[in-house]
Amino acid sequence: GIGAWDKVAVRWGYGRNENREAILAAAWAEDLRFMTNQDLDLDPRVDQWAHGTDAAAELQRVAGVRRAALARFGERAIREGTPLALLEEALVPLYLHHRYQLDAAASALGGVSYTYAMRGDGRSAVDAVPAAQQRAALEAILSTLRPAELTLPRSLLEKLPPRPYGFGVHRELFPRHTGSAFDPLTPASVAADLAFGGILQPQRAARLVAQHAVDPALPGLDGVTARLVTFVFEAPATNAYEREVRRSIRWVLGQKLMGLASTAPMPQVRAEATAALRAMRTRATAAGGAFDTMLATEIERFLERPAEPQRPIQPPQIPPGAPIG
């Protein structure tokens, strides 16, 4: 059937002998608003494919659904007599089940609640999303990046052989660094790219700077990036697989911060991203080990800018998945 706002629009446009202002006032009382794709990523109430009215709480719920489904995922996801490698086609949308709710939660950071107010209507034109709601959204996003949430069961990994002849790799599968074998680490990098990419979008980062300047009680970009850096170094990891996943998300954050520091239009955003990179370099140097030493060196090279890296390492590409059809 048609949506609630559609019914309001039909009554407003075609109703006879009805007070149009009363129709809109009734819709307003039910929190029915007309907003479009131009409002995406700015107002947390406006997101495609998302659910619920509390983005952080809904992300936690959706992540729980994802977790339960992954625990049950197995051969029954494909038809009898088909190659086991085709499990990956079913795994990708399940592993990324929370991707659109991530977008909704990220829109709370630096977000604004607004209406296309008219002079004399007495309605508030624009208000910042409350600080508590913004911080809850950030923590909800980070909860999806805990290494234990991003690993795959060994029982599943043992059922994902290389793809047979005639079933080649395509863009709706996870990228891989492992040749024809399934790569158990790149799914985590893809999930981290979705999360950090949403948080560190240049316009959102600029809004974080601006809102904190106007109201210091609201989160600023410096506080958000500091929390991200702390998370990628201190997120609990209880085994070798989880520790490798943590390194993967640490690398993605470094790449996202480098991109923000080098391309953001607002100079304050570049400054805060650069400061976060310095903090990452300090943490990586203190951690030691081959990976963190390389990460510290990569950041140092970026900060000094003597030359572009010969072979920049980009996060894996995210498989498409908009529910259209």
Side-chain angles (χ1 to χ4, degrees):
I2 65 173
W5 177 261
D6 299 313
K7 295 176 183 178
V8 172
V10 169
R11 285 187 61 201
W12 188 91
Y14 295 98
R16 292 183 178 180
N17 303 319
E18 291 203 62
N19 185 322
R20 287 183 168 181
E21 289 301 319
I23 292 173
L24 294 182
W28 188 272
E30 296 179 21
D31 197 32
L32 295 176
R33 316 290 176 89
F34 177 75
M35 306 188 95
T36 68
N37 284 5
Q38 77 175 30
D39 304 295
L40 289 172
D41 300 324
L42 188 59
D43 188 323
R45 298 174 301 177
V46 187
D47 280 285
Q48 287 183 313
W49 324 126
H51 301 277
T53 56
D54 183 327
E58 184 64 12
L59 177 56
Q60 298 277 19
R61 189 193 69 81
V62 170
V65 172
R66 170 188 177 274
R67 188 182 312 117
L70 281 173
R72 299 173 57 189
F73 186 80
E75 294 182 25
R76 289 183 298 174
I78 58 175
R79 291 196 303 271
E80 188 79 20
T82 55
L84 278 176
L86 298 187
L87 281 170
E88 189 175 355
E89 271 86 344
L91 175 63
V92 170
L94 175 56
Y95 190 89
L96 301 178
H97 176 65
H98 62 308
R99 65 189 300 177
Y100 299 105
Q101 203 61 47
L102 273 175
D103 291 341
S107 65
L109 293 167
V112 291
S113 297
Y114 62 95
T115 62
Y116 295 112
M118 307 291 286
R119 180 181 176 183
D121 65 11
R123 292 170 182 157
S124 176
V126 59
D127 295 291
V129 172
Q133 186 177 337
Q134 295 193 41
R135 294 191 175 95
L138 176 60
E139 293 305 315
I141 293 170
L142 292 181
S143 72
T144 69
L145 294 178
R146 290 192 295 260
E149 296 287 330
L150 299 180
T151 56
L152 292 167
R154 186 166 181 174
S155 59
L156 173 58
L157 295 176
E158 291 172 349
K159 288 181 169 59
L160 288 170
R163 299 178 71 80
Y165 178 78
F167 296 89
V169 175
H170 52 81
R171 72 190 188 103
E172 294 188 6
L173 303 177
F174 286 119
R176 55 197 76 199
H177 300 305
T178 51
S180 58
F182 180 80
D183 187 337
L185 296 176
T186 53
S189 296
V190 168
D193 192 25
L194 283 167
F196 294 142
I199 295 170
L200 299 176
Q201 195 267 350
Q203 292 176 337
R204 177 163 296 121
R207 291 197 296 273
L208 285 166
V209 171
Q211 74 172 14
H212 188 65
V214 173
D215 183 355
L218 295 172
L221 180 59
D222 56 345
V224 170
T225 54
R227 179 70 183 100
L228 298 181
V229 171
T230 298
F231 176 84
V232 299
F233 281 94
E234 298 182 6
T238 59
N239 56 50
Y241 187 7
E242 290 181 9
R243 287 190 289 274
E244 212 59 61
V245 163
R246 186 170 59 187
R247 293 186 185 102
S248 295
I249 65 174
R250 193 177 300 166
W251 182 265
V252 173
L253 177 60
Q255 295 298 313
K256 290 297 181 183
L257 286 170
M258 289 183 201
L260 197 63
S262 60
T263 63
M266 178 188 270
Q268 292 93 327
V269 170
R270 294 196 185 197
E272 296 295 353
T274 300
L277 284 168
R278 291 196 178 98
M280 281 197 76
R281 178 187 59 186
T282 300
R283 296 289 299 257
T285 300
F291 178 86
D292 284 302
T293 298
M294 182 190 71
L295 176 61
T297 301
E298 191 80 3
I299 293 173
E300 183 68 29
R301 184 190 310 176
F302 173 84
L303 294 174
E304 292 183 354
R305 294 179 174 86
E308 290 294 323
Q310 293 182 353
R311 297 183 63 191
I313 303 174
Q314 299 297 328
Q317 293 296 306
I318 301 167
I324 299 174

